[in-house]
Amino acid sequence: MAEAKKKRVLKKTETVREKASKKELPKKPQRLSKATAVVKKPLRTARRIGAKEYHPIKLPDNKIGRVLTQKRKVTPNFFRDAWGELRQVSWPNRKETIKMTLAVFMFAIIFSILVGLLDFGLEKIFRELLVD
């Protein structure tokens, strides 16, 4: 009997964004959700005030009046854009933060030891060359 050839099926690779959308977000601890609720209230109020548009001058409806009475926002564009960017950030959880902090400390310690050894070695070399 002739063996039937099997068709190869390639698995579609997932992008990072697709993986992140499938991942369920961990439930926040109760005290954290209470703290965020307390913080959100004044921020929401400030946001509403900043989003309001004010008419600085009321003038008649002519060319100059239309230019001068255009609506102006109180909050500068920079702050609105920065807030929008901060809302898109995916912040690391506690475990990842500790792991990354330890990595930074280890790098700093190793790098300082290497610089110290290099300094010590170069000092010895220059003392030998200059003193003798």
Side-chain angles (χ1 to χ4, degrees):
M1 284 178 91
E3 291 181 27
K5 285 188 175 181
K6 292 182 179 180
K7 278 190 175 181
R8 284 179 47 183
V9 179
L10 296 176
K11 209 190 265 187
K12 185 183 174 194
T13 57
E14 288 182 325
T15 62
V16 175
R17 188 170 285 172
E18 290 170 346
K19 288 179 184 177
S21 66
K22 284 183 180 179
K23 187 191 273 187
E24 289 185 25
L25 297 174
K27 191 174 180 182
K28 293 182 180 179
Q30 187 66 27
R31 66 174 183 220
L32 185 60
S33 60
K34 284 181 183 178
T36 55
V38 169
V39 170
K40 279 183 184 178
K41 189 174 181 181
L43 289 177
R44 201 175 300 136
T45 306
R47 190 173 173 197
R48 265 190 242 123
I49 291 171
K52 285 185 182 177
E53 296 175 344
Y54 296 95
H55 299 280
I57 304 171
K58 298 283 185 190
L59 291 176
D61 191 23
N62 57 21
K63 232 179 196 181
I64 294 174
R66 274 184 249 128
V67 170
L68 293 176
T69 59
Q70 285 180 348
K71 294 179 179 179
R72 309 278 186 236
K73 290 196 174 182
V74 175
T75 313
N77 285 339
F78 169 77
F79 292 114
R80 279 185 268 135
D81 294 342
W83 183 256
E85 288 294 326
L86 277 176
R87 295 191 71 184
Q88 293 176 358
V89 172
S90 60
W91 299 99
N93 60 22
R94 186 182 182 98
K95 193 174 189 179
E96 291 172 351
T97 305
I98 292 171
K99 198 181 290 186
M100 288 188 280
T101 304
L102 288 175
V104 169
F105 281 137
M106 292 302 295
F107 175 79
I109 290 169
I110 291 170
F111 193 71
S112 64
I113 290 171
L114 288 175
V115 169
L117 289 173
L118 184 66
D119 181 44
F120 180 74
L122 288 175
E123 182 185 356
K124 286 287 187 186
I125 290 171
F126 286 125
R127 282 192 187 259
E128 288 289 325
L129 290 176
L130 294 175
V131 173
D132 288 338

